[in-house]
PDB file of all heavy atoms in Angstrom:
ATOM      1  N   ALA A 222     -51.401 -21.648  67.766  1.00  0.00           N
ATOM      2  CA  ALA A 222     -52.686 -20.956  67.752  1.00  0.00           C
ATOM      3  C   ALA A 222     -53.638 -21.625  68.732  1.00  0.00           C
ATOM      4  O   ALA A 222     -54.699 -22.126  68.351  1.00  0.00           O
ATOM      5  CB  ALA A 222     -53.271 -20.945  66.339  1.00  0.00           C
ATOM      6  N   VAL A 223     -53.228 -21.693  69.979  1.00  0.00           N
ATOM      7  CA  VAL A 223     -54.081 -22.340  70.978  1.00  0.00           C
ATOM      8  C   VAL A 223     -54.302 -21.483  72.238  1.00  0.00           C
ATOM      9  O   VAL A 223     -55.032 -21.893  73.122  1.00  0.00           O
ATOM     10  CB  VAL A 223     -53.513 -23.713  71.422  1.00  0.00           C
ATOM     11  CG1 VAL A 223     -53.530 -24.693  70.256  1.00  0.00           C
ATOM     12  CG2 VAL A 223     -52.103 -23.602  71.980  1.00  0.00           C
ATOM     13  N   GLU A 224     -53.647 -20.327  72.293  1.00  0.00           N
ATOM     14  CA  GLU A 224     -53.794 -19.516  73.513  1.00  0.00           C
ATOM     15  C   GLU A 224     -54.203 -18.094  73.149  1.00  0.00           C
ATOM     16  O   GLU A 224     -53.554 -17.459  72.311  1.00  0.00           O
ATOM     17  CB  GLU A 224     -52.464 -19.468  74.266  1.00  0.00           C
ATOM     18  CG  GLU A 224     -52.134 -20.744  74.999  1.00  0.00           C
ATOM     19  CD  GLU A 224     -50.791 -20.625  75.677  1.00  0.00           C
ATOM     20  OE1 GLU A 224     -49.770 -20.937  75.036  1.00  0.00           O
ATOM     21  OE2 GLU A 224     -50.759 -20.190  76.830  1.00  0.00           O
ATOM     22  N   GLU A 225     -55.225 -17.601  73.828  1.00  0.00           N
ATOM     23  CA  GLU A 225     -55.758 -16.268  73.510  1.00  0.00           C
ATOM     24  C   GLU A 225     -54.707 -15.160  73.599  1.00  0.00           C
ATOM     25  O   GLU A 225     -54.694 -14.261  72.781  1.00  0.00           O
ATOM     26  CB  GLU A 225     -56.912 -15.929  74.440  1.00  0.00           C
ATOM     27  CG  GLU A 225     -58.245 -16.027  73.760  1.00  0.00           C
ATOM     28  CD  GLU A 225     -59.254 -16.818  74.573  1.00  0.00           C
ATOM     29  OE1 GLU A 225     -59.262 -16.640  75.810  1.00  0.00           O
ATOM     30  OE2 GLU A 225     -60.005 -17.617  73.982  1.00  0.00           O
ATOM     31  N   LEU A 226     -53.847 -15.249  74.583  1.00  0.00           N
ATOM     32  CA  LEU A 226     -52.844 -14.211  74.769  1.00  0.00           C
ATOM     33  C   LEU A 226     -52.009 -14.003  73.503  1.00  0.00           C
ATOM     34  O   LEU A 226     -51.527 -12.911  73.214  1.00  0.00           O
ATOM     35  CB  LEU A 226     -51.926 -14.591  75.935  1.00  0.00           C
ATOM     36  CG  LEU A 226     -50.793 -13.600  76.261  1.00  0.00           C
ATOM     37  CD1 LEU A 226     -51.341 -12.282  76.758  1.00  0.00           C
ATOM     38  CD2 LEU A 226     -49.839 -14.207  77.287  1.00  0.00           C
ATOM     39  N   LEU A 227     -51.828 -15.084  72.742  1.00  0.00           N
ATOM     40  CA  LEU A 227     -50.915 -15.028  71.596  1.00  0.00           C
ATOM     41  C   LEU A 227     -51.618 -14.796  70.260  1.00  0.00           C
ATOM     42  O   LEU A 227     -50.986 -14.773  69.224  1.00  0.00           O
ATOM     43  CB  LEU A 227     -50.082 -16.318  71.528  1.00  0.00           C
ATOM     44  CG  LEU A 227     -49.371 -16.726  72.823  1.00  0.00           C
ATOM     45  CD1 LEU A 227     -48.576 -17.991  72.628  1.00  0.00           C
ATOM     46  CD2 LEU A 227     -48.457 -15.620  73.336  1.00  0.00           C
ATOM     47  N   GLY A 228     -52.956 -14.689  70.289  1.00  0.00           N
ATOM     48  CA  GLY A 228     -53.659 -14.461  69.036  1.00  0.00           C
ATOM     49  C   GLY A 228     -54.795 -15.449  68.836  1.00  0.00           C
ATOM     50  O   GLY A 228     -55.315 -16.012  69.798  1.00  0.00           O
ATOM     51  N   PRO A 229     -55.193 -15.662  67.569  1.00  0.00           N
ATOM     52  CA  PRO A 229     -56.317 -16.570  67.304  1.00  0.00           C
ATOM     53  C   PRO A 229     -56.036 -17.958  67.858  1.00  0.00           C
ATOM     54  O   PRO A 229     -54.888 -18.373  67.983  1.00  0.00           O
ATOM     55  CB  PRO A 229     -56.382 -16.594  65.776  1.00  0.00           C
ATOM     56  CG  PRO A 229     -55.639 -15.403  65.308  1.00  0.00           C
ATOM     57  CD  PRO A 229     -54.642 -15.077  66.352  1.00  0.00           C
ATOM     58  N   THR A 230     -57.098 -18.690  68.167  1.00  0.00           N
ATOM     59  CA  THR A 230     -56.951 -20.003  68.793  1.00  0.00           C
ATOM     60  C   THR A 230     -57.500 -21.108  67.901  1.00  0.00           C
ATOM     61  O   THR A 230     -57.945 -22.151  68.375  1.00  0.00           O
ATOM     62  CB  THR A 230     -57.653 -20.045  70.154  1.00  0.00           C
ATOM     63  OG1 THR A 230     -59.023 -19.672  69.949  1.00  0.00           O
ATOM     64  CG2 THR A 230     -57.020 -19.089  71.139  1.00  0.00           C
ATOM     65  N   ASP A 231     -57.431 -20.887  66.591  1.00  0.00           N
ATOM     66  CA  ASP A 231     -58.021 -21.840  65.668  1.00  0.00           C
ATOM     67  C   ASP A 231     -57.303 -23.181  65.590  1.00  0.00           C
ATOM     68  O   ASP A 231     -57.803 -24.116  64.977  1.00  0.00           O
ATOM     69  CB  ASP A 231     -58.074 -21.230  64.248  1.00  0.00           C
ATOM     70  CG  ASP A 231     -58.994 -20.034  64.189  1.00  0.00           C
ATOM     71  OD1 ASP A 231     -59.745 -19.814  65.156  1.00  0.00           O
ATOM     72  OD2 ASP A 231     -58.968 -19.309  63.171  1.00  0.00           O
ATOM     73  N   GLY A 232     -56.145 -23.269  66.198  1.00  0.00           N
ATOM     74  CA  GLY A 232     -55.429 -24.541  66.162  1.00  0.00           C
ATOM     75  C   GLY A 232     -55.957 -25.546  67.164  1.00  0.00           C
ATOM     76  O   GLY A 232     -55.694 -26.754  67.075  1.00  0.00           O
ATOM     77  N   ARG A 233     -56.711 -25.050  68.156  1.00  0.00           N
ATOM     78  CA  ARG A 233     -57.197 -25.936  69.212  1.00  0.00           C
ATOM     79  C   ARG A 233     -57.974 -27.133  68.690  1.00  0.00           C
ATOM     80  O   ARG A 233     -57.840 -28.243  69.187  1.00  0.00           O
ATOM     81  CB  ARG A 233     -58.120 -25.156  70.144  1.00  0.00           C
ATOM     82  CG  ARG A 233     -57.408 -24.364  71.180  1.00  0.00           C
ATOM     83  CD  ARG A 233     -58.446 -23.684  72.055  1.00  0.00           C
ATOM     84  NE  ARG A 233     -57.831 -22.696  72.901  1.00  0.00           N
ATOM     85  CZ  ARG A 233     -58.514 -21.732  73.523  1.00  0.00           C
ATOM     86  NH1 ARG A 233     -59.825 -21.636  73.344  1.00  0.00           N
ATOM     87  NH2 ARG A 233     -57.907 -20.876  74.287  1.00  0.00           N
TER      88      ARG A 233
END
Side-chain angles (χ1 to χ4, degrees):
Chain A
V223 295
E224 285 178 272
E225 254 132 40
L226 179 66
L227 309 181
T230 56
D231 295 349
R233 278 182 192 163

